[in-house]
């Protein structure tokens, strides 16, 4: 039987699907009997979901235009250019 | 010169027939993209940007936390990719190679700007008894259908917590949890071993979770079952 500390240590591997099946089953057995670790797992997964949302910023269109201008100008100064 | 023209013709023909046939913007495979870039094909240049510019901007912004810095990183990254595409050996995927260049450029950008304050790990990492049990109750502040406002606030808190993380940890979390790179590719992009990447990722995730938990608790909206109004 694994402890809460071990459960927390294994959590990333577990949610990433990297835990070997035997260990995963032991972790799940622990979760069934531990409300604290169940809450920990739920909030851990929620953190990953929020991280994905919080860091998903769109690239502004004007920045895309400036990037192309920058690259074309720089490459034209060089020996080869990808411009049309 | 003949080879360049030939590669350019092949790239243009293949990408044109792809878009005409499928009426989609499916990007060309990496090998074709690399051949086109080496040949100086304008279509390959556009395909490269279409496929990677938004991802690199998101990553650069996530690491630098500053839009002007992220723009400069993008410029540096794509200039370097275009100039050194001839040196790309194909040992990793093109995407991993570009992610590596972008991560290094973004980390270089914040080097020197970063505070040298030690993170308060002890405040946010879970504490256990000698027997390995949780020392304090673990409130469940995870998704609740009536807690849309708290979710919005938590996203803001998470942004701040990401900013608080050292760049090396932030880069790992961004590559794995935002960009969705597999562990081995993220490790490759960062020049880390897989165990080192996993350790850093886990610690970073625990830190973020800890900061969110602190906020939810301070807000005083917690009940044993979740979040109460």
């Amino acid at each position: 039987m694994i402890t809460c500390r071990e459960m927390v240590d294994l959590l990333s591997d577990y949610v990433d699907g990297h835990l070997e099946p035997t260990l995963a089953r032991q972790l799940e057995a622990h979760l069934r009997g531990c409300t604290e670790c169940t809450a920990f797992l739920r909030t851990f997964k929620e953190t990953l979901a929020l991280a994905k949302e919080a860091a998903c910023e769109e690239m502004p269109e004007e920045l895309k235009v400036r990037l192309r201008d920058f690259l074309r100008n720089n490459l034209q100064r060089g020996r080869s250019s990808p411009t049309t | 010169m003949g080879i360049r023209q030939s590669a350019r013709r092949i790239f243009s023909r293949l990408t044109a027939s792809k878009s005409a046939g499928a009426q989609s913007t499916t990007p060309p495979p990496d090998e074709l993209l690399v051949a086109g870039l080496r040949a100086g094909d304008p279509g390959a240049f556009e395909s490269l940007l279409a496929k990677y510019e938004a991802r690199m901007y998101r990553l650069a912004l996530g690491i630098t936390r500053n839009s002007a810095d992220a723009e400069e990183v993008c410029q540096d990254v794509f200039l370097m990719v275009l100039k050194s595409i001839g040196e790309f050996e194909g040992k990793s995927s093109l995407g991993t190679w570009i992610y590596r260049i972008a991560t290094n450029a973004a980390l270089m950008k914040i080097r020197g700007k970063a505070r040298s304050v030690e993170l308060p790990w002890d405040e946010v990492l879970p504490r256990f008894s000698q027997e390995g049990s949780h020392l304090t109750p673990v409130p469940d502040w995870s998704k609740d259908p009536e807690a849309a406002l708290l979710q919005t606030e938590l996203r803001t808190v998470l942004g701040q917590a990401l900013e608080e993380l050292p760049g090396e940890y932030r880069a790992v979390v961004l590559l794995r949890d935002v960009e969705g790179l597999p562990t081995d590719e993220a490790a490759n992009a960062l020049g880390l071993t897989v165990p080192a990447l996993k350790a850093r990722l886990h610690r970073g995730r625990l830190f973020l979770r800890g900061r969110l938990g602190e906020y939810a608790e301070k807000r005083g909206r917690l009940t044993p079952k979740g979040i109460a109004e």
Side-chain angles (χ1 to χ4, degrees):
Chain A
M1 192 68 177
I2 65 172
T3 64
C4 300
R5 185 200 301 271
E6 288 165 339
M7 197 290 305
V8 168
D9 286 346
L10 295 170
L11 211 45
S12 276
D13 276 342
Y14 178 67
V15 299
D16 289 339
H18 293 159
L19 214 53
E20 62 172 82
T22 312
L23 211 44
R25 278 196 295 276
Q26 286 179 28
L27 187 144
E28 284 158 3
H30 176 86
L31 284 170
R32 279 194 291 277
C34 182
T35 52
E36 306 299 341
C37 281
T38 301
F40 201 99
L41 172 64
R42 289 181 60 179
T43 50
F44 190 78
K45 283 183 172 174
E46 182 65 8
T47 300
L48 306 194
L50 286 167
K52 194 167 178 64
E53 291 172 24
C56 275
E57 290 227 22
E58 291 294 318
M59 185 175 188
E61 285 303 316
E62 66 268 24
L63 201 151
K64 292 182 181 179
V65 172
R66 285 206 299 269
L67 177 61
R68 280 159 179 73
D69 288 345
F70 170 85
L71 293 171
R72 288 194 175 105
N73 290 338
N74 271 274
L75 292 166
Q76 270 170 354
R77 283 203 293 269
R79 57 179 173 70
S80 63
S81 162
T83 54
T84 49
Chain B
M1 191 65 183
I3 294 170
R4 284 167 64 91
Q5 283 175 335
S6 163
R8 192 176 302 171
R9 259 200 315 277
I10 293 167
F11 181 91
S12 300
R13 196 167 58 237
L14 287 173
T15 51
S17 63
K18 208 176 248 293
S19 58
Q23 289 194 332
S24 72
T25 52
T26 308
D30 279 355
E31 311 82 67
L32 204 53
L33 189 51
V34 171
L37 290 170
R38 284 177 174 160
D41 189 291
F45 171 74
E46 269 307 323
S47 292
L48 173 78
L49 293 180
K51 190 170 180 181
Y52 291 108
E53 66 184 340
R55 295 189 223 178
M56 294 312 130
Y57 177 75
R58 189 169 57 217
L59 177 66
L61 185 61
I63 293 176
T64 63
R65 314 297 295 170
N66 177 290
S67 57
D69 284 346
E71 179 171 4
E72 282 184 20
V73 168
C74 280
Q75 291 175 348
D76 294 346
V77 168
F78 285 104
L79 192 57
M80 183 174 287
V81 167
L82 292 168
K83 283 186 169 175
S84 42
I85 192 68
E87 295 158 29
F88 173 66
E89 296 174 337
K91 288 179 182 169
S92 61
S93 71
L94 179 65
T96 302
W97 185 62
I98 298 175
Y99 270 117
R100 188 189 309 142
I101 293 171
T103 306
N104 286 336
L107 288 173
M108 284 293 288
K109 185 65 79 178
I110 59 171
R111 199 152 291 160
K113 291 183 183 177
R115 298 155 301 154
S116 58
V117 177
E118 186 66 24
L119 269 188
W121 294 105
D122 291 345
E123 286 177 21
V124 290
L125 297 182
R127 287 180 297 154
F128 302 96
S129 67
Q130 282 193 332
E131 295 75 35
S133 299
H134 286 282
L135 260 184
T136 51
V138 180
D140 184 358
W141 45 263
S142 64
K143 202 164 282 176
D144 182 300
E146 293 177 8
L149 176 62
L150 180 58
Q151 293 298 311
T152 306
E153 293 173 5
L154 287 177
R155 270 193 287 278
T156 305
V157 174
L158 197 129
Q160 292 163 351
L162 270 171
E163 200 159 334
E164 210 180 339
L165 271 180
E168 291 76 12
Y169 283 83
R170 197 156 65 234
V172 171
V173 172
L174 292 168
L175 286 174
R176 283 287 289 116
D177 293 339
V178 178
E179 299 304 321
L181 258 63
T183 304
D184 55 342
E185 283 188 33
N188 189 330
L190 286 161
L192 293 172
T193 62
V194 166
L197 178 119
K198 282 184 169 186
R200 206 176 276 186
L201 176 66
H202 188 53
R203 208 163 163 80
R205 286 170 167 177
L206 287 177
F207 181 83
L208 298 179
R209 184 207 159 274
R211 278 289 187 244
L212 292 177
E214 272 182 349
Y215 179 80
E217 226 167 330
K218 274 183 197 158
R219 212 169 178 282
R221 297 170 61 128
L222 299 168
T223 70
K225 286 186 178 176
I227 301 156
E229 284 298 325

